[in-house]
Each structure stands twice: as C-alpha cells, then as structure tokens.
Amino acid sequence: MEKIIDEKLQGNALIIETKSENKRKLFIESYGCQMNFSDSEIVASILLNEGFNTTQNLEDADLVLVNTCSIRDKAEQTVRKRLEKYNAVKRINPKMKVGVLGCMAERLKSKFLEEEKIVDLVVGPDAYKDLPNLIKEVDEGRDAVSVILSKDETYGDISPVRLQSNGVSALVSITRGCDNMCTFCVVPFTRGRERSRDPQSILGEINDLAEKGFKEITLLGQNVDSYLWYGGGLKKDFKNASEIEKATATNFANLLRMVAEKHPKLRIRFSTSNPQDMTMDVIEMMAKYSNICKHIHLPVQSGSNAVLERMNRLHTREEYFLLIDNIRKLIPDCAISQDMIAGFCGETEQDHQDTLSLMEYVKYDFGYMFSYSERPGTLGAKKYEDDVPEDEKQRRLAEIVKLQRSHSLLRTQAYIGKTVEVLIERESKKSDQQWSGRTTYNAVAVFNKEDYNIGEFVNVEITDCTSGTLIGFPVGYSGHN
Ligand code: SAH
Ligand code: F3S
C-alpha cells in the first residue's frame, strides 16, 4: 500500500501527492446524480490505496472508469458516446483498460461485455471494494464482472478522496439504495434495497472535512428522510430489530441535530427528500438550526392524483400541499425545488393541467424537468403502456419548463434590494473578476471579487438577477466566518 505523504489545499483544489513516480494512472468520470459523484470519490480512494494516481487527461490513462447513469435512456446514450471516445483513444494506447461502474453496470451486467467490446470491467454500485481483485483479473487478460447488490455495504469505512473539489463544499453519503419503488424509476433495481450508514462514521467524515477547512456539506441519499440506523442492516428489516435497537435507533431528524450541533460553523444541506417520507421533526430541525440550509429539494413528479397513484408515489396532491404549507409555516422563507416528469403513462391533458396548477400553488424556486423515458424492468414498463406520443410529451414538458422559468424569475426578483449571505465557491464562469457562491436558499449569486476569497461567507446586496442567478455587490463579511 502506497502511503499518501502530503495532502494539502492548492489553488483551492485538494491535491494528493504520492511518493512513487511510476504509478498507474486512473481517469475517472461520472454521469448522473450526486451519489455517483460521491461514489467516484470512494472508488478513487480505494484505487489510490492500490497504487493508482488520478489523472485529468484521458490520453494518459492506464485505466479509465466511467460511473454511469441509467435513469433515462438519454443518460445511457451519453455514456455509449463516451465509450466511442475511449475506443478512439484505445487505438492509440492499446494497453488502456476500460471499466464501467454504476447503474448501467448493474442494469446490463455481463451483457455490457457483449454489447461494447471495448469494456474490460463491469462493476455495480455495491461492489467497488472488489475493484482491486477485478483489476488483477483484467491485468491477467480476463474480463471481470461484479454486480452483486449488498444488504449492508455503505462504504462507511472508506474515506473518500475529494476529486476536483473546490475545498469548500463536499458530498457525504448517508444512505444507499431505495425501497420506494416508484414505478418509473430504475434506481431500486440498480442500487438495491435501502440501508443507512453508521452515524459515527458519518460524523467522523464530517469532522475530517471540517478540519480540512470545508465549509458546507450535503448529506446524500436517494431518499434521505428515510434514514434509519439501528446497528446496520436493511431498512425493511427494521421491524425484526431488537427492542434495544429500536429504542436507540437514529432517524434523519436525529442525525441532522447531531451534525448541526457538532458543527455550528458548517453549512448543512441534504438531498433528496421524497414527500411521503418527510416528517415534521425534520422541518422543525431545519427551523431550529441556522446552519441547516433553508432549501428543500422535494420532487413531486406530477400534480395529478391519478398519475401519482400510477407512479406509486404514496401521497396525494392535497397531502403535498399540506406539507408545503407546514414547511412555509415553520420556515416562511424556505426555498423549495422540484423534479417533474411530463407524459407518464396514461397522462391526460387534465392531468398535465393539474401539474401546472400545482406548480402555480408552490411557485418553486427551481426544478429539474424531464419527459418520461420508459426503463426496462421497472413496474411502469411492465404494467402500463408508454402511450403519450413523443411530441405531446415534449409540448407538455416545454410548458412546464416555461412556467418554472417564470416562477424562478419571481423568486430571484424577490431578492432585489435585499442583503443575503453567500458562501464563495468558485470564480464566476462569465467573468474572472467575479466570485460565484450560493445562499442558504441554494440560489447562485455572483459579485465582484474585491479582497474576498473562496470559502468565505460574505454579505451581498442584490441589485439585479436572471431567473437562475442573483447579481450584487459585497458589503462585508457575515458573522459566519
Ligand atoms: N430520489 C432520487 C431520485 C432519483 S431520479 C434523488 O435522489 O434524486 C431523479 C429524477 O429523475 C426523479 O426525481 C425523476 O423526476 C426523474 N426520473 C426518474 N426516472 C425517470 C424516468 N423513467 N423518466 C423520466 N424521468 C425520470
Ligand atoms: Fe427512484 Fe422513487 Fe427511489 S424516484 S430513487 S424509486 S424515491
């Protein structure tokens, strides 16, 4: 095992230097959700211990790993295109090995090796600790596949390497898998049953991040509100836990409190909340601790009860409104964002209008909107016909996007004239004279650099905006630093 001799912040990116010059070079890239990006940091950590160094340069790589997404057909097509690119590089560098990680690996398993001749290695999301053995197999000239889903793997014992990090914000995974079985969603099949990570290991990782100077962490899970630690094991087996395990279990609200109290200077975010699992105690915790960011990503997918039912989302439109009302009662300024699917099986024009009217009620700060993409193997694919014509899906999607844009603009305009605290994260993409950061509401703000630095909390007076960005000028440090 190669010892990491120096770990330091350099140009705001965490650079890891290692002793040996002649290490094998790993190029790793990620597609899809934040969980994939977080997993790639775990994978990089495992392979650094195996004598690899990471490289940003595909052409230099001895091993290329692509962490894939299966959520929509388009996501899979993007990955297939990348494989073509790797193939072109492999022609110049035939020794280069290519591995597929993540949800596509899990979904397609060894079929991948037949479909994509370039692939040497297929590794599902619960099998990353097998990577050292699998790479040996590949080195010896055999293809390697490992796609077994686990009951208890949370990678809690692995300290992730912060890839391309700004040294300010970091992802911390707290649950893996999902038990919700939304009928459109492939995640329960690719990431397996839900299990939670030991709170002590979560706190350990966060302590480490705080010591390294990180200012913001995002607690990650497919369904964070359903976090439940009772000593290990699947969430669905909790009913068989002992009385002691039940009495001492840690739920998401408890976890939030533990993190918020231990790290009053850290900003805490979490993602994603499924409305059916979000409870009042979580909202109360957010209201109580100023370091928990006032933003909830609360995907609803549709505003129609009939569609919600077919999607197996276990709440109604009315229950969702009640949740929104409760959030606004306790945290009046809380930002709320959405995910929406246009054109799910059997969606009528009236259902679509219900989605638009739900959006009018909430007036989300922002959202991620998609047209329905049938995924093989899901209940949706088996039970319902994908019967909304593609052009109709696209028309509905365009209406949803347009409405969201107008709501986003309303939300950003409301900040004009106000002073908001911004955590500086990076240089603005548009100007090297400006910083870009985010408010507690997850709104992006840009302003002149002056003498401020990345990682500082600055009060910014907002003077202008677009639907996605606040524009202002700094008026001094906030008390948070
Ligand atoms: N709980 C997860 C949701 C993962 S999928 C999370 O942490 O974000 C992210 C979003 O992709 C979903 O909320 C949904 O809006 C969208 N999505 C999932 N499956 C889809 C499909 N088959 N077609 C279109 N959009 C889909
Ligand atoms: Fe997918 Fe629904 Fe879980 S969207 S990740 S099955 S909460």
Side-chain angles (χ1 to χ4, degrees):
M1 199 168 95
E2 210 57 51
K3 192 171 175 304
I4 293 172
I5 57 163
D6 189 16
E7 210 177 85
K8 63 184 174 185
L9 283 171
Q10 203 178 67
N12 306 313
L14 193 63
I15 309 287
I16 296 183
E17 291 175 7
T18 47
K19 258 181 190 163
S20 163
E21 291 288 296
N22 52 5
K23 285 171 160 291
R24 295 169 82 185
K25 293 204 179 74
L26 163 70
F27 176 89
I28 182 163
E29 65 180 343
S30 314
Y31 292 89
C33 63
Q34 288 178 307
M35 189 64 91
N36 261 5
F37 285 77
S38 168
D39 281 0
S40 292
E41 299 185 331
I42 287 167
V43 168
S45 169
I46 292 171
L47 292 185
L48 282 181
N49 281 336
E50 288 294 307
F52 279 86
N53 254 351
T54 52
T55 172
Q56 309 276 5
N57 207 342
L58 176 58
E59 282 74 15
D60 284 350
D62 300 300
L63 174 65
V64 174
L65 295 177
V66 58
N67 203 343
T68 61
C69 173
S70 284
I71 201 80
R72 288 168 289 276
D73 185 54
K74 213 170 137 202
E76 292 203 348
Q77 295 316 324
T78 307
V79 170
R80 303 255 187 202
K81 286 236 171 60
R82 281 309 279 166
L83 292 176
E84 282 171 27
K85 168 78 182 163
Y86 304 156
N87 214 357
V89 177
K90 203 170 178 171
R91 267 184 233 121
I92 305 162
N93 174 12
K95 278 202 267 174
M96 184 180 100
K97 303 290 182 207
V98 176
V100 176
L101 314 178
C103 288
M104 261 176 108
E106 193 62 48
R107 194 175 86 69
L108 294 163
K109 304 186 170 64
S110 53
K111 251 173 55 189
F112 228 119
L113 298 171
E114 294 151 34
E115 288 176 25
E116 300 281 353
K117 297 288 176 230
I118 183 189
V119 174
D120 304 292
L121 186 69
V122 179
V123 191
D126 285 348
Y128 297 145
K129 282 188 188 155
D130 270 357
L131 269 165
N133 293 327
L134 297 167
I135 290 169
K136 271 190 207 106
E137 290 280 308
V138 171
D139 286 343
E140 287 163 13
R142 292 183 289 273
D143 288 334
V145 179
S146 182
V147 288
I148 296 189
L149 289 170
S150 162
K151 275 187 172 181
D152 46 21
E153 184 60 86
T154 60
Y155 300 110
D157 52 339
I158 291 182
S159 165
V161 170
R162 305 293 157 182
L163 294 166
Q164 297 170 338
S165 167
N166 54 7
V168 177
S169 44
L171 306 171
V172 177
S173 90
I174 65 163
T175 69
R176 296 186 71 84
C178 185
D179 285 349
N180 271 350
M181 287 292 175
C182 302
T183 56
F184 53 81
C185 185
V186 78
V187 170
F189 301 92
T190 58
R191 287 189 164 268
R193 299 279 68 77
E194 189 183 314
R195 68 220 93 121
S196 296
R197 177 178 168 191
D198 184 340
Q200 291 313 320
S201 124
I202 297 172
L203 287 169
E205 183 175 340
I206 297 173
N207 279 342
D208 194 43
L209 287 164
E211 272 169 22
K212 287 188 174 125
F214 281 81
K215 300 291 166 62
E216 180 182 284
I217 53 135
T218 303
L219 304 174
L220 271 192
Q222 300 298 335
N223 185 20
V224 279
D225 299 79
S226 123
Y227 175 88
L228 188 65
W229 172 259
Y230 61 97
L234 295 177
K235 166 89 184 250
K236 72 178 178 57
D237 293 336
F238 179 62
K239 53 184 182 306
N240 305 326
S242 70
E243 288 313 311
I244 292 182
E245 282 171 336
K246 283 184 180 160
T248 56
T250 305
N251 67 14
F252 185 54
N254 303 148
L255 179 71
L256 269 181
R257 181 181 40 222
M258 286 156 85
V259 180
E261 282 187 354
K262 191 122 193 254
H263 294 284
K265 289 276 179 195
L266 265 188
R267 260 191 186 178
I268 300 152
R269 299 187 184 278
F270 56 87
S271 190
T272 300
S273 295
N274 186 314
Q276 73 205 37
D277 294 307
M278 185 157 207
T279 49
M280 281 312 287
D281 54 354
V282 169
I283 305 166
E284 280 159 12
M285 229 36 96
M286 290 179 73
K288 186 166 168 198
Y289 294 98
S290 64
N291 54 334
I292 304 179
C293 288
K294 304 298 178 262
H295 164 234
I296 306 175
H297 187 54
L298 200 60
V300 67
Q301 321 294 359
S302 169
S304 149
N305 279 333
V307 175
L308 287 172
E309 198 178 331
R310 278 201 295 284
M311 287 177 162
N312 194 34
R313 303 286 288 187
L314 300 180
H315 63 82
T316 61
R317 171 188 171 91
E318 292 72 24
E319 284 162 341
Y320 188 79
F321 286 153
L322 195 64
L323 180 58
I324 298 285
D325 293 348
N326 281 332
I327 294 168
R328 298 231 154 109
K329 228 177 273 161
L330 263 68
I331 316 166
D333 57 347
C334 193
I336 301 174
S337 55
Q338 45 89 347
D339 287 350
M340 214 63 95
I341 298 179
F344 186 63
C345 310
E347 186 188 82
T348 63
E349 182 57 29
Q350 184 54 50
D351 293 326
H352 169 59
Q353 292 302 325
D354 288 350
T355 294
L356 297 177
S357 73
L358 177 139
M359 291 175 71
E360 283 291 1
Y361 185 89
V362 184
K363 296 198 170 57
Y364 293 99
D365 290 69
F366 61 94
Y368 303 97
M369 296 146 283
F370 316 95
S371 58
Y372 174 57
S373 166
E374 185 178 88
R375 307 313 293 134
T378 56
L379 219 63
K382 286 185 190 149
K383 242 171 112 175
Y384 306 114
E385 196 188 336
D386 182 11
D387 55 358
V388 178
E390 190 54 35
D391 56 348
E392 187 59 26
K393 279 185 190 171
Q394 293 309 323
R395 186 211 25 111
R396 292 179 192 174
L397 178 62
E399 286 181 11
I400 290 170
V401 170
K402 189 170 167 216
L403 186 60
Q404 181 54 53
R405 198 161 294 146
S406 73
H407 290 158
S408 295
L409 189 61
L410 268 182
R411 292 291 178 198
T412 51
Q413 278 171 341
Y415 291 111
I416 293 180
K418 290 191 178 146
T419 300
V420 286
E421 183 192 68
V422 177
L423 170 60
I424 305 177
E425 290 176 343
R426 59 180 61 87
E427 198 164 83
S428 152
K429 282 187 199 120
K430 295 222 173 102
S431 160
D432 62 5
Q433 303 299 306
Q434 292 199 312
W435 289 132
S436 167
R438 276 178 301 154
T439 67
T440 183
Y441 312 108
N442 210 33
V444 173
V446 295
F447 56 92
N448 284 343
K449 283 183 175 175
E450 297 191 359
D451 289 333
Y452 299 104
N453 294 303
I454 289 182
E456 290 176 338
F457 290 91
V458 177
N459 284 330
V460 177
E461 188 173 326
I462 304 303
T463 51
D464 199 1
C465 68
T466 67
S467 62
T469 310
L470 306 175
I471 301 156
F473 59 89
V475 291
Y477 287 113
S478 84
H480 202 137
N481 287 290

